[in-house]
Amino acid sequence: EAGVTQSPTHLIKTRGQQVTLRCSPISGHTSVYWYQQALGLGLQFLLWYDEGEERNRGNFPPRFSGRQFPNYSSELNVNALELEDSALYLCASSFFRGGGETQYFGPGTRLLVL
Amino acid sequence: AQTVTQSQPEMSVQEAETVTLSCTYDTSESNYYLFWYKQPPSRQMILVIRQEAYKQQNATENRFSVNFQKAAKSFSLKISDSQLGDTAMYFCAFSQEGGGADGLTFGKGTHLIIQP
């Protein structure tokens, strides 16, 4: 069975530009989570989608947004890129049965903002 | 809000030795879930072990086991007979009951190096 996939693997953008990252969950998983792994800041929760709806977001500005499609795949959009947005963006998927389900991670998208 | 603390930024042991990685957490919840994830140099995060807080029995997965002390809010990972392939960043993570409301809360990680 295929795992979580993410595209692209690497991206280089300049400050002020916009970027879209994509994630395909494991088949049967309805929840998709996005995390930012920035150097020195560790892994931080960005967004949670389940059944096509945004369920919660972490402490990030509104220029971080996304959506989940009917096939449960997801996009993360970042507008007005700043240098500090340079990070590894990880997507994870899981079933949702009330909490505590294991999240399975994709390989990540490495974003560099110049 | 929950916090997860990993006090060992880096550890190095010889192959075949046993190593224990520490993790403490802070929460006011009575039921929750704890995880150890491994992130090898290739960057793919892999689940090592999962513990449900309401279960007294410590979780085990082959060479990996945890020492879960709920009262002390401690969740250490023991790796027995360590192998070169165990070299990776190890992250302790917390999830509250009730869904992914806050996602997983991660510690800063421990870089484990297995020496030949």
Side-chain angles (χ1 to χ4, degrees), chain A residues 4 33 35 37 40-45 48 56-57 88 90 96 98-107 110, chain B residues 32-33 35 37 39 42-47 50 89 91 95-108:
Chain A
V4 177
Y33 304 81
Y35 293 88
Q37 188 175 22
L41 294 178
L43 281 143
Q44 295 183 282
F45 167 66
W48 170 38
N56 203 15
R57 64 183 295 124
L88 181 69
L90 293 171
F96 176 58
E101 290 78 30
T102 296
Q103 295 182 21
Y104 296 88
F105 285 81
R110 171 74 64 186
Chain B
Y32 45 87
Y33 304 83
F35 306 82
Y37 280 91
Q39 190 177 37
S42 67
R43 292 290 182 179
Q44 184 103 29
M45 193 88 74
I46 304 164
L47 176 72
R50 174 180 180 269
M89 283 293 293
F91 292 96
S95 175
Q96 67 186 44
E97 193 173 48
D102 294 321
L104 287 168
T105 300
F106 286 90
K108 295 287 189 188

Side-chain angles (χ1 to χ4, degrees), chain B residues 60-80:
Chain B
T60 64
E61 284 290 338
N62 301 313
R63 297 183 295 108
F64 299 87
S65 62
V66 297
N67 183 5
F68 173 49
Q69 302 287 331
K70 191 172 184 179
K73 295 181 180 175
S74 171
F75 183 61
S76 60
L77 175 70
K78 185 173 84 171
I79 306 173
S80 303

